[in-house]
Amino acid sequence: MDKAVLWQLSYGMYAIGVKDGDRPSGCIVNTVFQITSSPAIIAISMNKDNYTHGLIAKEGIFTVSILSEETMPLVISYLGFRSGRDTDKFEKLEYQTDANGNPIVTDHICGYMQAKVISQADTPTHTVFFAEVTDGVKVSDLHPMTYEYYHKVIKGSAPKNAPTYQQKA
Amino acid sequence: MDKAVLWQLSYGMYAIGVKDGDRPSGCIVNTVFQITSSPAIIAISMNKDNYTHGLIAKEGIFTVSILSEETMPLVISYLGFRSGRDTDKFEKLEYQTDANGNPIVTDHICGYMQAKVISQADTPTHTVFFAEVTDGVKVSDLHPMTYEYYHKVIKGSAPKNAPTYQQKA
């Protein structure tokens, strides 16, 4: 198989927010997609080794902040390439907290959603969480950051737990 | 909830190919996502009312053709807005057939994949099929068509079975 074909699939860039006790936590994912229209159900794919995975499994609710092309790369560095196990990922980031205590990124996002897990599907390395969107706000007309934009313009890479991770040759 | 936020999620545009006896069939989806890296597992979301849904459930294998910005809108009209129940959707389209008898669109695609269903998850209206990518070929460097491009440039709409369908106000 020519693995390059998998890089031709299109994705966005999102920050998942979830609370860890009193501390905000979360991570970056590129796999958020709408599964059904009514009710609005989304799916996200997350590696089981991610600290955020355990927090979502425990809390059952999370936020999705939709990053734009104007969102600072720092947001992705802080949330995507460090673990919430031993760091306060949001310490240097602009964010607000929703009524449930989950963080929402506020740096040039397109919008955000609050979601409640209703079921999950297991794969060898990742869990796909299905979640009903309980609230959502469009906050700007900024252009959503695509995964392609992240790679080509920001020259970003994927951490090894990402569904789209590829080992360097 | 502000439903407009759901339109800020990013997707690509794909043709799903599956055989219907001796006849090629399939449809258009915007939800094809890589779920795990190794093995490469993808997920697609499909409305249970779609004729293609039953064919995939029956055959267990399908193809994914990754449409590019150069792919003729006719491909989307023919595969996305008619039912394979009563029409030969591929009749006027350029395609090839893989070793399993599943059609692959050949009009300016980026690449294609062959996939084998390994499990599925149920939602009220859609099934999410998880499938292992058994083969994949990148056939061009054309720019993948995004769902946004389809809406903004081609001015396309979503049929009522699409996960992202919105009723007109």
Side-chain angles (χ1 to χ4, degrees):
Chain A
M1 174 175 55
D2 178 6
K3 282 236 173 192
V5 69
L6 289 163
W7 282 77
Q8 298 179 313
L9 303 181
S10 299
Y11 305 91
M13 290 289 284
Y14 311 97
I16 301 297
V18 62
K19 67 178 171 185
D20 181 15
D22 291 337
R23 192 164 76 168
S25 195
C27 65
I28 299 292
V29 299
N30 62 339
T31 45
V32 174
F33 47 113
Q34 189 177 353
I35 297 294
T36 74
S37 172
S38 182
I41 296 174
I42 57 171
I44 67 170
S45 175
M46 189 165 297
N47 193 290
K48 296 174 187 176
D49 291 338
N50 273 9
Y51 187 63
T52 304
H53 183 283
L55 296 174
I56 291 177
K58 178 184 166 207
E59 299 291 338
I61 49 174
F62 60 90
T63 61
V64 178
S65 301
I66 302 167
L67 307 187
S68 82
E69 292 180 354
E70 311 302 317
T71 303
M72 285 174 63
L74 192 72
V75 171
I76 298 170
S77 308
Y78 272 67
L79 297 182
F81 289 88
R82 303 187 311 165
S83 174
R85 265 186 201 89
D86 40 38
T87 49
D88 179 352
K89 288 179 148 188
F90 279 86
E91 188 186 15
K92 293 184 183 173
L93 300 181
E94 293 174 22
Y95 71 98
Q96 63 185 66
T97 304
D98 74 5
N100 299 312
N102 294 323
I104 295 161
V105 171
T106 52
D107 174 29
H108 296 89
I109 62 168
C110 299
Y112 64 86
M113 294 180 281
Q114 292 165 287
K116 182 182 174 182
V117 176
I118 53 171
S119 64
Q120 56 193 73
D122 192 48
T123 77
T125 55
H126 291 64
T127 297
V128 178
F129 292 104
F130 294 97
E132 184 167 344
V133 179
T134 53
D135 201 6
V137 178
K138 177 179 175 175
V139 299
S140 79
D141 282 315
L142 292 172
H143 199 259
M145 187 191 293
T146 62
Y147 195 54
E148 182 192 32
Y149 181 93
Y150 170 65
H151 278 292
K152 289 200 176 162
V153 182
I154 303 185
K155 311 283 186 197
S157 59
K160 73 173 172 35
N161 283 350
T164 44
Y165 173 70
Q166 294 201 321
Q167 246 177 329
K168 288 197 173 61
Chain B
M1 174 174 54
D2 178 5
K3 281 236 172 192
V5 69
L6 289 163
W7 283 77
Q8 298 179 313
L9 303 180
S10 299
Y11 304 91
M13 290 290 284
Y14 312 97
I16 301 298
V18 62
K19 68 178 171 185
D20 180 16
D22 290 337
R23 192 164 76 169
S25 196
C27 64
I28 300 291
V29 299
N30 62 338
T31 45
V32 175
F33 283 78
Q34 187 177 356
I35 298 294
T36 73
S37 173
S38 183
I41 296 174
I42 57 171
I44 67 169
S45 174
M46 188 164 298
N47 192 289
K48 296 174 187 177
D49 292 337
N50 273 10
Y51 188 63
T52 304
H53 183 281
L55 297 174
I56 291 177
K58 178 184 166 206
E59 299 290 339
I61 49 175
F62 60 90
T63 61
V64 178
S65 301
I66 302 167
L67 307 186
S68 82
E69 292 179 355
E70 310 302 318
T71 303
M72 285 172 62
L74 193 71
V75 171
I76 297 170
S77 308
Y78 272 68
L79 297 182
F81 289 88
R82 303 187 312 164
S83 173
R85 264 185 201 90
D86 40 37
T87 50
D88 180 352
K89 288 178 148 189
F90 279 88
E91 190 185 15
K92 294 183 182 171
L93 300 181
E94 292 174 22
Y95 72 99
Q96 64 184 64
T97 305
D98 74 6
N100 299 313
N102 295 324
I104 295 161
V105 172
T106 52
D107 173 30
H108 296 89
I109 62 168
C110 299
Y112 65 86
M113 295 181 280
Q114 292 164 289
K116 183 183 174 182
V117 176
I118 53 172
S119 64
Q120 56 192 73
D122 191 49
T123 78
T125 54
H126 291 65
T127 299
V128 178
F129 292 104
F130 294 97
E132 184 167 344
V133 180
T134 53
D135 201 6
V137 178
K138 176 179 175 175
V139 299
S140 78
D141 282 317
L142 291 172
H143 198 259
M145 187 191 293
T146 62
Y147 196 54
E148 182 192 33
Y149 182 92
Y150 170 65
H151 279 291
K152 290 200 177 164
V153 181
I154 303 185
K155 312 283 187 198
S157 60
K160 72 172 173 31
N161 283 350
T164 44
Y165 172 71
Q166 294 202 320
Q167 247 177 326
K168 288 197 171 63

